[in-house]
Amino acid sequence: MKFLFDLFPIILFFAAFKAFDIYIATGVVIAATAAQIGWVWHRHGKVDTMLWISLALVVVFGGATLVLHDETFIKWKPTVLYWLFATTLFGSAQFFGKNLIRAMLEKEVQLPEPLWSRLNLAWAGFFAVMGVANLWVAFNFSTDTWVSFKLFGGMGLMIAFIIIQGVVLAKYIPEEKQ
């Protein structure tokens, strides 16, 4: 359910684009992301940092798209977010000795230290590649294709990557006793 909630602004962006145009869709995604933060704040009294960063990026890049009437800016937003994720994962491990993937997952799974490092690096690499893929689609295909890739391609690649991670990590997840 959280996964669908996280996709809420992207789904509305896609629907608004299909019904109207990129500029209406950009306004919708800005409003939807702000509403999403409002809902999270109301329900939990706290909003994750990454959601605030996503809002800031969509307001800046979406705002530039609307003010300058240039869709280039909104097309850069996913790449900037992906590269920020990649840099944060890689930089926190390399410069601060903090493995963020381990911090998020160590309660669910116990892994040998070298595997935690590889997993963190794999996610950093995945996000770096996703940023490049977004730019490639954004600037080599139509806006319609890019919008579809943003929802279906990005989500499909993420799910495939998570499944691959699950297969690799499966032997480290304890089976529940019946």
Side-chain angles (χ1 to χ4, degrees):
M1 199 59 151
K2 183 182 180 328
F3 181 69
L4 286 176
F5 181 73
D6 289 343
L7 286 177
F8 173 71
I10 296 169
I11 292 167
L12 290 181
F13 175 82
F14 178 82
F17 175 79
K18 293 299 183 182
F20 302 103
D21 64 16
I22 191 74
Y23 303 106
I24 300 283
T26 298
V28 166
V29 78
I30 292 169
T33 305
Q36 185 180 45
I37 283 185
W39 176 257
V40 170
W41 182 274
H42 172 72
R43 296 280 287 161
H44 305 289
K46 181 181 180 240
V47 177
D48 291 335
T49 303
M50 291 316 297
L51 197 51
W52 283 115
I53 291 169
S54 184
L55 176 65
L57 289 174
V58 80
V59 167
V60 168
F61 287 91
T65 293
L66 295 175
V67 169
L68 301 173
H69 209 71
D70 183 350
E71 64 189 45
T72 301
F73 296 100
I74 198 65
K75 289 180 176 181
W76 267 93
K77 185 260 175 193
T79 291
V80 171
L81 187 61
Y82 290 140
W83 287 350
L84 184 60
F85 288 165
T87 302
T88 301
L89 290 170
F90 182 78
S92 65
Q94 294 302 310
F95 303 115
F96 303 106
K98 181 87 172 143
N99 185 318
L100 298 179
I101 297 296
R102 181 180 189 159
M104 289 187 295
L105 297 177
E106 70 183 337
K107 289 184 179 168
E108 285 81 31
V109 64
Q110 300 300 312
L111 301 175
E113 185 55 41
L115 193 53
W116 280 119
S117 296
R118 285 194 304 264
L119 188 61
N120 194 70
L121 190 58
W123 276 99
F126 173 75
F127 284 124
V129 169
M130 285 294 290
V132 171
N134 178 69
L135 289 179
W136 183 72
V137 173
F139 297 110
N140 289 292
F141 295 93
S142 69
T143 299
D144 187 60
T145 299
W146 173 75
V147 170
S148 294
F149 174 78
K150 184 174 167 37
L151 177 59
F152 301 110
M155 183 173 45
L157 290 170
M158 178 73 73
I159 290 169
F161 187 71
I162 290 169
I163 289 170
I164 292 167
Q165 295 293 311
V167 169
V168 170
L169 299 178
K171 66 181 176 181
Y172 297 99
I173 299 173
E175 292 184 33
E176 291 185 33
K177 295 180 180 176
Q178 296 182 3

